Amino acid sequence: MQIAIPKEIKNHEYRVALTPTGARELVSRGHTVNVQAGAGEGAGFVDAAYEASGARIEADVAKLWDTAELILKVKEPQPEEVDRLKSGQTIFTYLHLAAEETLTQGLINSGATCIAYETITDRQGGLPLLAPMSTVAGRMAIQAGAHSLEKAQGGSGVLLPGVPGVAPAKVAVIGGGVVGENAARMALGLGAEVTVLDRSISRLEVLDDRYQGRMKTVYSTADAIDDAVRESDLIVGAVLIPGAAAPKLITRRMLADMKPGSVLVDVAIDQGGCFETSKPTTHASPTYIVDEVVHYCVANMPGAVARTSTQALTNATLPYIIALADKGWQKALADDHHFLPGLNVHDGQIAYQAVADAFSLESVNPTSLLK
Ligand SMILES: NC(=O)C1=CN([C@@H]2O[C@H](COP(=O)(O)OP(=O)(O)OC[C@H]3O[C@@H](n4cnc5c(N)ncnc54)[C@H](O)[C@@H]3O)[C@@H](O)[C@H]2O)C=CC1
Ligand SMILES: CC(=O)C(=O)O
Ligand SMILES: [Mg+2]
């Protein structure tokens, strides 16, 4: 199969969809891997490393896209990439369509087969291709929050661990899944006072057991969120309803109850964000202030630590990429009912219910699209 690895073009996105190690696995199976010149540079993988793995380097972007049967990316296709996509091609990447109506429509119009990393499931009820980047983003959320609390960033001037004689900061994490646990773990490690809110009792049980009561676990209700808003110096938004737009858990009115200079880090921004005042920001300009509350809403946080993230992403995606390349998308999805929910759009039709629901559009049962 002809596989294309384009250079990512989103703002400050330095990841690449495949490492040279991953390319070698595909080449050894008889596939042709065409890597856009310079695609891996931001993650520390030079063209020569791909060539040593048996991949081809392609300088002509139009040709790279035009000749591809399978396109591997990291971030959702940007407008010029949507224009290049065509019927008969398969694209495998993060899509987050429920937050992006224009992109959804563009993918429908392209006629291509669009498989999302973030809606593939596993036997444990997890999201195995979202998890590695959620681990990264959860860990980064506390770095970003700590920096945003500094006065020069508009923050309240609170140091997360405090110092002897001065109490530590209070950190609330809404959503105790992969992002939430990793954020809470980092905040604990820095000595903050940490509360995790979730609607899943079993998740709260896991966290209570794993951290032996060192973080508080609270069932997520409107009252509990009100308390977190009044008390916290830093709140991390880490909720997810798979494939769907994030619920707005903190409204603009509630910002008035926060301490001036407190910080909201909305990791769920890629699904539209869980705070009403959130809007996507970039690594070039990551924060803005509303009603004296600092907002950090970068939708591709792991892009800033591209070396670590690219390796973690390829480790997780490679078995699925191999299945797509060896079998074609229909057989690969038919053989694995956890891979099947990755299918979001095919040949002008939406195949993921929550995405169709987000825009009041029709969806088809993905099984009906398999041969
Ligand atoms: N901004 C970025 O760069 C990145 C963003 N993300 C995003 O972070 C979000 C979280 O991802 P994961 O942690 O992997 O998901 P997850 O599925 O592991 O965890 C989500 C948790 O939210 C909980 N939840 C749902 N509704 C809730 C509510 N109303 N109150 C409290 N908890 C609630 C669920 O029970 C679940 O435990 C996703 O939107 C994901 O796309 C992930 C990686 C990078
Ligand atoms: C999950 C995601 O959107 C990212 O890693 O950028
Ligand atoms: Mg206020």
Side-chain angles (χ1 to χ4, degrees), residues 13 15 74-75 94 96 130 133 270 299-302:
E13 181 52 75
R15 286 172 287 179
V74 180
K75 289 311 288 183
Y94 288 115
H96 303 292
L130 183 61
M133 296 305 97
D270 55 0
N300 60 332
M301 295 172 69

Coordinates of all heavy atoms in Angstrom, one line a residue, residues 13 15 74-75 94 96 130 133 270 299-302, ligand 2:
E13 N 2.7 22.7 15.8 CA 2.5 21.3 15.9 C 3.8 20.6 15.4 O 4.1 20.7 14.2 CB 1.3 20.8 15.1 CG 1.1 19.3 15.2 CD 1.0 18.8 16.6 OE1 0.0 19.0 17.3 OE2 2.0 18.2 17.1
R15 N 4.7 17.3 16.2 CA 4.7 15.9 16.1 C 4.6 15.4 14.7 O 4.3 16.2 13.8 CB 3.4 15.3 16.8 CG 3.5 15.4 18.3 CD 2.2 15.0 19.0 NE 1.2 16.1 18.8 CZ -0.1 16.0 19.2 NH1 -0.5 15.0 19.9 NH2 -0.9 17.1 19.1
V74 N -1.4 13.5 12.5 CA -1.6 13.6 14.0 C -2.8 14.5 14.2 O -3.8 14.0 14.7 CB -0.4 14.3 14.6 CG1 -0.6 14.4 16.1 CG2 0.9 13.5 14.4
K75 N -2.8 15.7 13.7 CA -4.0 16.6 14.0 C -5.0 16.5 12.9 O -4.7 16.0 11.8 CB -3.5 18.0 14.2 CG -2.7 18.3 15.4 CD -3.4 17.8 16.7 CE -4.6 18.6 17.1 NZ -5.2 18.0 18.4
Y94 N -6.2 12.1 14.5 CA -7.2 12.7 15.5 C -8.2 13.5 14.6 O -7.7 14.3 13.8 CB -6.5 13.5 16.5 CG -5.8 12.7 17.6 CD1 -4.4 12.8 17.7 CD2 -6.5 11.9 18.4 CE1 -3.7 12.1 18.6 CE2 -5.8 11.1 19.4 CZ -4.4 11.3 19.5 OH -3.7 10.5 20.4
H96 N -11.7 14.6 16.2 CA -12.5 15.5 17.1 C -13.7 16.2 16.4 O -13.9 17.4 16.6 CB -11.7 16.5 17.8 CG -10.5 15.9 18.6 ND1 -10.7 15.1 19.7 CD2 -9.2 15.9 18.4 CE1 -9.5 14.7 20.2 NE2 -8.6 15.2 19.4
L130 N -6.3 7.5 22.3 CA -6.3 8.8 22.9 C -5.4 8.8 24.1 O -4.8 9.8 24.5 CB -7.8 9.1 23.3 CG -8.0 10.5 23.9 CD1 -7.6 11.6 22.9 CD2 -9.5 10.7 24.3
M133 N -1.8 10.4 24.4 CA -1.7 11.9 24.3 C -2.4 12.5 25.5 O -2.1 13.6 26.0 CB -2.3 12.4 23.0 CG -1.5 12.0 21.8 SD 0.3 12.4 21.8 CE 1.0 10.9 22.4
D270 N -10.4 20.3 22.8 CA -10.5 19.6 21.5 C -11.9 19.0 21.2 O -12.2 18.8 20.1 CB -9.4 18.6 21.3 CG -9.3 17.5 22.3 OD1 -10.1 17.6 23.2 OD2 -8.4 16.7 22.2
A299 N -5.3 23.3 22.1 CA -6.0 22.1 21.6 C -5.0 21.0 21.2 O -5.4 19.9 20.9 CB -6.9 22.4 20.4
N300 N -3.7 21.3 21.1 CA -2.7 20.3 20.7 C -1.5 20.4 21.7 O -0.4 20.6 21.3 CB -2.3 20.5 19.3 CG -1.6 21.8 19.0 OD1 -1.9 22.8 19.6 ND2 -0.7 21.8 18.0
M301 N -1.9 20.3 23.0 CA -0.8 20.4 24.0 C 0.4 19.5 23.7 O 1.5 19.9 23.8 CB -1.4 20.1 25.4 CG -2.5 21.2 25.8 SD -3.3 20.8 27.3 CE -2.1 20.9 28.5
P302 N 0.2 18.2 23.4 CA 1.3 17.3 23.3 C 2.3 17.7 22.1 O 3.4 17.2 22.1 CB 0.7 15.9 22.9 CG -0.7 16.0 23.5 CD -1.1 17.4 23.2
Ligands
LIG2 C1 -5.6 14.2 21.4 C2 -5.2 15.4 20.6 O1 -6.0 16.0 20.0 C3 -3.8 15.7 20.5 O2 -3.0 15.0 21.0 O3 -3.5 16.8 20.0

